[in-house]
Amino acid sequence: MTILKICEFPDPVLRQQAAPVDVFDEQLDKLAADMAATMFDAPGVGLAAPQIGKSIKMIVVDHSRQEEAPGVWLALVNPEIVAAEGRQCDSEGCLSVPELTSKVNRHRKVTVRYQNLQGQPQEITAEDRFAVVLQHEIDHLNGVLFLDHLSSLKRHLYLKKYKKWLEQQQN
Ligand code: NI
């Protein structure tokens, strides 16, 4: 397995609309496994393909807690939220937006329709923290970052802070 390079904001790939996946082959399996390895290495609880520079509709999420076993991950191809209810507001960060975390409004419970790595249709219902992860990662496939959910004032302050951090990195 290969640890992939994570693209960071303002990389334009993070703003693209990802393309649907229609070929379910060994290459897709390998990409998913590499993405999972990259996610656990980071460490993070979810990773979307655009974050490693591939603008396709695939995400991987940490599924250890649900399966009660460490290191278990799930790949969701062409995921789509088909039902959502309730509200929650919890702290979020993003591997592509280092240094920043913020509270974000999300649905408390979502049902996601997707295909597995064999192309078979699946459905999963998630609540609480796991529902946040799914909503955050699916956003990435539409070029949306958690920053976009903040008020414009807060986003402005965040981007200023981030720009300063980027400049410090370059020095
Ligand atoms: Ni993210």
Side-chain angles (χ1 to χ4, degrees), residues 131-151:
V132 170
V133 175
L134 288 173
Q135 290 168 87
H136 178 115
E137 300 311 330
I138 291 171
D139 264 358
H140 274 300
L141 304 181
N142 297 311
V144 173
L145 299 171
F146 78 96
L147 300 172
D148 302 326
H149 291 282
L150 308 181
S151 71

Side-chain angles (χ1 to χ4, degrees), residues 6 36-47 62 93-95:
I6 296 175
T38 304
M39 169 183 74
F40 284 122
D41 177 71
V45 290
L47 192 68
D62 183 350
C94 179
L95 295 174

Side-chain angles (χ1 to χ4, degrees), residues 54-73:
K54 291 238 185 291
S55 193
I56 60 167
K57 289 194 168 182
M58 178 161 73
I59 65 172
V60 296
V61 292
D62 183 350
H63 211 221
S64 311
R65 193 178 294 177
Q66 290 72 28
E67 301 284 335
E68 293 182 1
V72 179
W73 55 274

Side-chain angles (χ1 to χ4, degrees), residues 5-161:
K5 187 183 172 300
I6 296 175
C7 302
E8 292 179 354
F9 181 75
D11 191 319
V13 72
L14 297 170
R15 290 309 200 180
Q16 284 170 23
Q17 176 70 45
V21 173
D22 50 16
V23 180
F24 295 82
D25 58 4
E26 270 177 34
Q27 223 178 322
L28 191 72
D29 287 348
K30 169 145 181 21
L31 179 65
D34 287 346
M35 281 173 56
T38 304
M39 169 183 74
F40 284 122
D41 177 71
V45 290
L47 192 68
Q51 291 183 274
I52 49 91
K54 291 238 185 291
S55 193
I56 60 167
K57 289 194 168 182
M58 178 161 73
I59 65 172
V60 296
V61 292
D62 183 350
H63 211 221
S64 311
R65 193 178 294 177
Q66 290 72 28
E67 301 284 335
E68 293 182 1
V72 179
W73 55 274
L74 187 67
L76 294 86
V77 182
N78 300 322
E80 192 189 342
I81 294 169
V82 293
E85 62 181 78
R87 285 271 148 212
Q88 60 179 327
C89 185
D90 207 350
S91 190
E92 284 182 39
C94 179
L95 295 174
S96 293
V97 192
E99 299 296 299
L100 299 182
T101 57
S102 179
K103 293 214 165 199
V104 180
N105 285 310
R106 299 284 189 184
H107 294 293
R108 199 194 65 77
K109 184 176 174 185
V110 291
T111 299
V112 175
R113 205 170 283 162
Y114 67 100
Q115 286 165 282
N116 63 16
L117 288 168
Q118 287 75 46
Q120 293 153 341
Q122 309 280 324
E123 207 170 270
I124 190 170
T125 296
E127 294 181 51
D128 304 323
R129 197 66 198 160
F130 189 40
V132 170
V133 175
L134 288 173
Q135 290 168 87
H136 178 115
E137 300 311 330
I138 291 171
D139 264 358
H140 274 300
L141 304 181
N142 297 311
V144 173
L145 299 171
F146 78 96
L147 300 172
D148 302 326
H149 291 282
L150 308 181
S151 71
S152 60
L153 178 66
K154 195 163 183 191
R155 189 168 55 240
H156 187 72
L157 289 171
Y158 265 57
L159 291 177
K160 234 165 117 178
K161 193 174 151 192

